[in-house]
Amino acid sequence: MGAALATEFRSPSSSNGCLSWLAQRIMSKDNGFDSIAAVSEIANSKRFTKPVIVELGPGSGFSLRTMFDKESPLQPSRVYAIEISEVFRQQLTEDKELATHIESGKLSIHNDDAINLKFIPDNSVDLVFGFNVVYFLFPLDVYLKELNRILKPGGELQFCVKEEAKYMDKQVYANTDWEACLGKMENNGFENVEKTEIRFKYDGPISYSTLIGKKKSS
Ligand SMILES: C[S@@+](CC[C@H](N)C(=O)[O-])C[C@H]1O[C@@H](n2cnc3c(N)ncnc32)[C@H](O)[C@@H]1O
């Protein structure tokens, strides 16, 4: 796949009409089934009580809406959505379901690169979640240091990844060697790092696995 389309997958722009439209169509063709499943799995594990969550690259918001689902056991106290694409930010701010949470102050949408999240205090976040995002975080070590800073000791980092990413343009998809990513997590203050089994393994595009780690307690 060409670099121009890969770039639109990283962050759809308003200036690249057809390619941007195509990237968005492909990303939402399964109606977020995969990222909804990932958030539901976190919620149903009941590992978190009213967590503070940072979502990196929520895109059109399937996972965000699931986090705030009234029936979900997750019930976050605060969610920061970090979204560098203007096109996606517009979709998120116009979303009626998310509007209530923005108004209540529980959800904020930020036009910031995750390399510097200075508006989020040290040791204040329970979960950092990114679906189809880690590929683009280059240099990964610098991003991991910042994510480690904002997480509480014992807080969790979850990057959901797809095998197809390995076939994309390497200039844009910089991180697709999962073992290397886990190694970098370990080198940047995370422990118990692991890659989960592939979920929905035989279901093609919706299959994914998760790179998980916890911020070291000391
Ligand atoms: C392939 S889209 C994934 C969107 C959504 N999570 C999904 O799975 O449908 C990649 C997302 O990564 C985000 N992203 C890319 N580079 C980023 C960076 N440096 N900091 C924060 N987010 C970034 C973009 O904003 C975009 O929403």
Side-chain angles (χ1 to χ4, degrees):
M1 186 169 298
L5 185 55
T7 303
E8 289 301 317
F9 277 116
R10 173 174 60 195
S11 171
S13 63
S14 48
S15 57
N16 212 343
C18 282
L19 277 183
S20 176
W21 175 86
L22 181 61
Q24 288 174 67
R25 284 299 294 259
I26 294 173
M27 280 191 266
S28 59
K29 85 176 162 25
D30 294 306
N31 292 320
F33 181 90
D34 41 16
S35 55
I36 290 172
V39 173
S40 303
E41 197 275 329
I42 293 169
N44 293 333
S45 74
K46 302 199 175 145
R47 290 198 297 282
F48 300 98
T49 310
K50 297 187 184 304
V52 176
I53 301 176
V54 170
E55 178 165 11
L56 306 179
S60 40
F62 293 110
S63 35
L64 274 183
R65 285 186 288 276
T66 309
M67 287 173 194
F68 283 108
D69 184 339
K70 278 199 199 82
E71 308 298 322
S72 166
L74 196 58
Q75 300 304 314
S77 60
R78 178 85 168 82
V79 178
Y80 301 87
I82 313 300
E83 185 45 76
I84 55 169
S85 158
E86 183 196 336
V87 174
F88 279 148
R89 274 199 315 282
Q90 189 171 347
Q91 289 177 23
L92 296 172
T93 47
E94 286 174 357
D95 185 294
K96 290 201 172 64
E97 227 176 298
L98 295 177
T100 351
H101 307 297
I102 294 173
E103 277 157 29
S104 74
K106 282 193 173 178
L107 171 64
S108 50
I109 295 166
H110 302 266
N111 171 22
D112 285 87
D113 191 307
I115 205 159
N116 185 349
L117 301 171
K118 53 187 177 306
F119 48 92
I120 305 181
D122 295 1
N123 304 313
S124 63
V125 172
D126 297 285
L127 169 69
V128 173
F129 175 81
F131 201 104
N132 274 332
V133 173
V134 69
Y135 328 126
F136 311 116
L137 307 182
F138 183 81
L140 184 56
D141 292 288
V142 183
Y143 283 89
L144 288 171
K145 280 191 178 67
E146 181 63 347
L147 300 177
N148 192 273
R149 177 188 70 76
I150 62 172
L151 276 164
K152 295 176 183 172
E156 207 165 290
L157 171 61
Q158 287 213 15
F159 285 130
C160 299
V161 296
K162 298 201 171 207
E163 295 306 305
E164 299 95 276
K166 292 183 185 290
Y167 306 105
M168 304 291 273
D169 189 293
K170 294 276 184 274
Q171 295 289 328
V172 183
Y173 281 65
N175 305 308
T176 56
D177 176 341
W178 315 139
E179 283 306 315
C181 292
L182 292 173
K184 288 186 178 188
M185 285 164 68
E186 261 178 348
N187 291 339
N188 286 286
F190 292 90
E191 60 186 3
N192 301 330
V193 303
E194 60 164 333
K195 174 180 168 294
T196 63
E197 288 293 304
I198 298 179
R199 265 187 110 186
F200 312 119
K201 191 168 184 173
Y202 301 106
D203 295 321
I206 60 165
S207 66
Y208 72 91
S209 49
T210 308
L211 312 179
I212 304 187
K214 283 181 190 287
K215 176 172 172 171
K216 279 186 191 152
S217 295
S218 56

